[in-house]
Amino acid sequence: MFTLKYYQELQQKNNYDLILYLKEGDIPVGNLLLDRINNEERSIEITCHIHPSHWGNGYMQEAILTVLPFLYDIGFDAVIYSYGEGNIKSSKLCSKLGFELHS
């Protein structure tokens, strides 16, 4: 019941929760949550989660690089990458992808 309600709320707000699967074996390893839309700035926020056993394999980088063109194509001018304070791995990924600090 919670899952259905969650996805109905996402749909109503035009938000996305994209599940990441390994190409081999259709194994889910993480997700990209695309939400916190700011219509004035035409921006959307990305929050990423990946199972620790799959860290360091480039999966999240590949997923973000795949989804960015989609977000720009549907009309967003800015994409904000959100991560928790002290999350060094996500901070490094942001730098690698060319994201700038936004406050």
Side-chain angles (χ1 to χ4, degrees):
M1 185 60 133
F2 169 79
T3 303
L4 179 59
K5 182 179 178 187
Y6 171 74
Y7 284 104
Q8 286 173 337
E9 288 176 7
L10 282 177
Q11 186 177 24
Q12 289 171 352
K13 296 177 183 178
N14 292 322
N15 295 335
Y16 306 88
D17 189 355
L18 308 175
I19 308 301
L20 305 179
Y21 290 88
L22 291 181
K23 292 176 184 175
E24 310 82 26
D26 289 331
I27 300 167
V29 296
N31 75 317
L32 290 175
L33 181 61
L34 310 171
D35 65 351
R36 298 184 183 175
I37 295 171
N38 182 321
N39 290 319
E40 285 182 21
E41 295 181 13
R42 300 176 54 92
S43 67
I44 190 165
E45 186 171 316
I46 295 179
T47 306
C48 305
H49 305 94
I50 191 160
H51 192 275
S53 64
H54 297 285
W55 288 355
N57 292 309
Y59 300 141
M60 196 54 68
Q61 181 176 346
E62 180 181 356
I64 292 170
L65 289 174
T66 300
V67 79
L68 285 175
F70 165 74
L71 294 174
Y72 293 124
D73 284 348
I74 63 173
F76 290 103
D77 293 332
V79 177
I80 300 166
Y81 183 105
S82 176
Y83 60 91
E85 187 176 336
N87 187 334
I88 295 168
K89 290 185 182 295
S90 288
S91 175
K92 287 180 180 179
L93 179 58
C94 280
S95 295
K96 191 183 291 188
L97 293 171
F99 282 89
E100 297 175 2
L101 186 60
H102 177 1
S103 51

